[in-house]
Amino acid sequence: RKEVEQDPGPFNVPEGATVAFNCTYSNSASQSFFWYRQDCRKEPKLLMSVYSSGNEDGRFTAQLNRASQYISLLIRDSKLSDSATYLCVVNGNTNAGKSTFGDGTTLTVKP
Amino acid sequence: GAVVSQHPSRVICKSGTSVKIECRSLDFQATTMFWYRQFPKKSLMLMATSNEGSKATYEQGVEKDKFLINHASLTLSTLTVTSAHPEDSSFYICSAPLQGYYEQYFGPGTRLTVT
């Protein structure tokens, strides 16, 4: 079983749609959680951190459920510019920064 | 956010030659940096952890004599692909965390093509 598993996708949605991505992780000692966005042939960029209390940044909402070892990302009112691959990232129990990446979920937003 | 640079951004080399890729943290010091490779439509695979002042830690299955890592200073780590072969062609990305923080800041990546 992979340490971090994501919806395989791809997700193809019209502009304005709401889309949700899910991610599960296997290491219960994991300490920190992130969503990164990666555009084609570019490096990943931090989208948002994920906290147990949930956090929202504009159209993006991230949730963490430690009991279920589950992370989600919700994108509301999707834009064409949201088209990218979204990576779920989990860090271990130190702040050495070693990250485990999910395989990513590709989103295409169409006009 | 923190800035990490990589050089070169693209390199084409012949089989058997060695290629050096540099990763620099531009506005912060990084005692630890990470090197990843990424195949098309796949996620990032951690190759090794680069530690300033000590040997790199390699992930299982990554040949340390093939992928030489040197963390020369608090702002520079280098990855040298030795005796490159076509199967080494890939996108190599470095990252560094800010001291005391968990999130990673990534370099723009280096696309290596071995002919």
Side-chain angles (χ1 to χ4, degrees):
Chain A
R1 182 189 170 193
K2 290 181 181 177
E3 288 187 57
V4 178
E5 294 205 60
Q6 292 186 240
D7 284 346
F11 285 67
N12 297 301
V13 303
E15 271 187 291
T18 296
V19 61
F21 303 142
N22 301 317
C23 172
T24 57
Y25 60 96
S26 60
N27 183 356
S28 59
S30 299
Q31 289 293 314
S32 54
F33 311 88
F34 306 93
W35 285 101
Y36 281 76
R37 170 196 170 126
Q38 186 174 25
D39 292 290
C40 189
R41 303 175 77 86
K42 299 283 187 183
E43 77 277 21
K45 293 192 174 176
L46 180 65
L47 180 65
M48 58 198 308
S49 303
V50 190
Y51 306 114
S52 297
S53 55
N55 50 310
E56 187 174 315
D57 183 3
R59 298 180 293 108
F60 299 84
T61 301
Q63 291 277 356
L64 165 66
N65 183 323
R66 286 189 183 270
S68 303
Q69 295 178 206
Y70 170 91
I71 305 156
S72 65
L73 176 69
L74 183 76
I75 305 176
R76 291 181 298 278
D77 188 24
S78 52
K79 312 289 184 192
L80 297 177
S81 57
D82 293 334
S83 298
T85 296
Y86 291 83
L87 302 169
C88 174
V89 181
V90 175
N91 279 16
N93 57 358
T94 72
N95 66 354
K98 185 173 176 177
S99 305
T100 303
F101 288 77
D103 285 345
T105 302
T106 299
L107 170 67
T108 301
V109 181
K110 299 184 175 180
Chain B
V3 179
V4 176
S5 71
Q6 264 184 261
H7 177 80
S9 57
R10 303 180 74 93
V11 58
I12 301 172
C13 69
K14 293 186 177 180
S15 284
T17 61
S18 294
V19 175
K20 181 187 282 188
I21 303 169
E22 292 186 348
C23 178
R24 293 182 186 271
S25 55
L26 296 185
D27 50 0
F28 67 102
Q29 293 183 333
T31 55
T32 302
M33 292 184 176
F34 300 94
W35 286 97
Y36 298 85
R37 68 185 294 183
Q38 187 175 33
F39 292 103
K41 299 188 186 297
K42 296 290 185 184
S43 191
L44 283 78
M45 182 191 80
L46 180 64
M47 299 175 65
T49 302
S50 175
N51 305 298
E52 191 271 335
S54 64
K55 291 182 179 180
T57 306
Y58 289 83
E59 296 300 302
Q60 194 172 15
V62 178
E63 298 176 59
K64 62 180 180 181
D65 295 329
K66 170 78 172 173
F67 299 99
L68 300 178
I69 291 172
N70 181 29
H71 201 131
S73 73
L74 287 171
T75 59
L76 173 64
S77 175
T78 60
L79 168 69
T80 301
V81 182
T82 62
S83 187
H85 288 98
E87 57 265 32
D88 298 325
S89 299
S90 192
F91 192 46
Y92 292 86
I93 308 176
C94 69
S95 73
L98 279 173
Q99 198 77 14
Y101 291 86
Y102 290 87
E103 58 263 34
Q104 301 280 332
Y105 292 92
F106 287 86
T110 297
R111 192 161 300 281
L112 170 64
T113 303
V114 184
T115 61

